Amino acid sequence: MTRLPSTRRGRRSPERSADRADRADRADRADRADRVTERLPARPAAAERARRIREERAAQRSRLLPQQQRVEERRARRSAQVAARKARKTRKARKARTAERRAVLKAARPADRRFRIRRRVALTVLVLLLLAGLGAGAWLLLARSGLADVESVEVTGALTVSREAVLGAAGVETGVPLAEVDTKAVAGRVARLPGVGSVQVSRGWPHTVEITVVERTPVALARTPQGVTLVDATGVAYRPAPEVPPALPMLGFGAVGPDDPSTKAALAVLTALPPDLRAQVTTIDVDNVATEPTVRLGLGERQVQFGAVERVDRKIAVLVPLLTEEGTVYDVSSPELPTVTR
């Protein structure tokens, strides 16, 4: 039996023949290219070629640089404009929020003010009520419990005025609540005593009433229907002088009182004199009471025409050295022209 040739082997043989033919053709072309290359002139060196490339690139960069700068400047301007617009929008939004907040606060302010006022009034009323309650409780405790009753009355400052007279005028009873003692009424009663200039009455807790007396100090004497009377610096003739009167100047006018013009003028000059000169004054007389009181001082056998009460310090400054001269009458009523009569 005869074997038929394989169909697959028959197909592979032409393909292999084609591949061998293709490889042979490529080799032939490469050989021809080499021969042509050998006949061409030599190409420039690699260094020269690199230099030309660098020069071309530098020229391109020099041409592109101004354009890039202008592009960057435009981008920067655009960015600045965008940022400025955003900042303006932010400020406007902030201002709008602030204005809205202020409007809300302004609308709520009257209500807040009324609330604060009501709260303060309520707190004040509450504090007052608490204080009133505490005060009432303390008053009841001190006045009704017997823990702070009057047990003693202390008197200080009474020298010429007797302590018994002060206690009798005060009229404070022991055993009564100290809180119920009327200190003003007690002071008023004690102040009416002759020789008492001023009085201060206070409570010395828990059981004492304290009375402080300031007595009158005599500065002159005056003849009254009751006899020679002591006169203090305010012009009050408050007590008969003792049988041997103190060495004080005698007022030569009858109507003595704190509101009398003659008394005011005489005591104003007397209290302004230096102590050593005041001790030499024995009498004080006042003339021209209806128009302008003028004062005359008696210094034993010498007389001083002092004149009106005006410019007292100037007249005294002139009188003190003037008295060192011999004379009987010294006139300083006009301190610019003082005179001495011998």
Side-chain angles (χ1 to χ4, degrees):
M1 181 172 180
T2 304
R3 181 180 294 180
L4 294 177
S6 174
T7 306
R8 180 179 298 175
R9 182 179 298 178
R11 286 197 299 267
R12 289 181 178 177
S13 296
E15 291 177 359
R16 292 178 179 175
S17 299
D19 291 337
R20 287 195 294 272
D22 186 36
R23 283 196 297 271
D25 184 50
R26 286 199 299 271
D28 185 43
R29 286 199 301 271
D31 188 24
R32 286 198 302 268
D34 292 337
R35 288 194 297 271
V36 171
T37 302
E38 292 177 356
R39 290 194 297 268
L40 292 176
R43 294 183 177 181
E48 183 67 18
R49 191 164 56 248
R51 183 182 62 79
R52 285 200 306 270
I53 292 172
R54 286 196 298 271
E55 290 178 354
E56 290 176 357
R57 290 179 178 177
Q60 291 177 358
R61 284 196 299 271
S62 63
R63 288 193 300 270
L64 293 176
L65 185 59
Q67 296 179 359
Q68 291 178 353
Q69 290 178 351
R70 288 192 292 272
V71 170
E72 293 296 332
E73 290 177 356
R74 285 196 295 271
R75 289 178 180 175
R77 285 195 297 270
R78 290 175 183 173
S79 300
Q81 291 174 356
V82 171
R85 285 195 295 270
K86 290 182 178 179
R88 285 195 295 270
K89 290 180 180 179
T90 303
R91 286 195 297 269
K92 289 181 179 178
R94 189 178 301 148
K95 289 181 179 178
R97 288 194 299 270
T98 304
E100 183 179 359
R101 192 180 299 111
R102 288 179 179 175
V104 172
L105 293 176
K106 187 176 181 181
R109 193 171 299 163
D112 293 342
R113 187 182 295 112
R114 289 193 295 269
F115 174 74
R116 287 196 299 269
I117 292 173
R118 290 171 183 162
R119 184 176 61 184
R120 290 176 184 173
V121 171
L123 289 176
T124 303
V125 172
L126 179 61
V127 170
L128 291 176
L129 290 176
L130 289 175
L131 292 176
L134 291 175
W139 179 266
L140 291 174
L141 179 64
L142 294 175
R144 303 304 177 192
S145 64
L147 297 176
D149 291 344
V150 177
E151 294 182 0
S152 62
V153 180
E154 294 183 357
V155 179
T156 57
L159 300 176
T160 59
V161 180
S162 64
R163 182 176 182 275
E164 290 73 16
V166 174
L167 293 176
V172 178
E173 298 180 359
T174 59
V176 299
L178 184 59
E180 294 183 356
V181 175
D182 190 349
T183 56
K184 291 184 178 179
V186 173
R189 291 193 295 268
V190 176
R192 288 195 289 268
L193 291 174
V196 176
S198 62
V199 183
Q200 183 178 0
V201 180
S202 59
R203 299 181 181 90
W205 298 98
H207 304 294
T208 306
V209 176
E210 299 174 352
I211 301 176
T212 303
V213 176
V214 178
E215 295 183 344
R216 297 183 186 273
T217 302
V219 297
L221 302 173
R223 290 186 176 89
T224 63
Q226 291 78 24
V228 179
T229 307
L230 300 176
V231 181
D232 69 352
T234 62
V236 176
Y238 61 93
R239 178 187 294 167
E243 294 182 2
V244 180
L248 296 175
M250 180 67 72
L251 301 179
F253 45 88
V256 177
D259 298 327
D260 177 56
S262 299
T263 305
K264 289 181 179 180
L267 296 180
V269 174
L270 181 63
T271 55
L273 294 175
D276 54 347
L277 181 56
R278 189 187 311 136
Q280 302 177 34
V281 178
T282 57
T283 60
I284 304 176
D285 294 295
V286 179
D287 302 322
N288 303 323
V289 179
T291 56
E292 184 178 11
T294 57
V295 179
R296 287 185 294 113
L297 304 176
L299 284 71
E301 297 180 354
R302 297 184 296 178
Q303 296 287 326
V304 176
Q305 296 288 346
F306 198 87
V309 182
E310 60 184 9
R311 295 189 295 175
V312 175
D313 296 336
R314 174 61 178 163
K315 293 178 180 180
I316 292 174
V318 174
L319 177 61
V320 171
L322 194 65
L323 289 173
T324 59
E325 301 181 8
E326 294 184 359
T328 56
V329 179
Y330 301 84
D331 190 347
V332 291
S333 58
S334 179
E336 291 77 13
L337 297 171
T339 61
V340 179
T341 304
R342 292 179 174 82

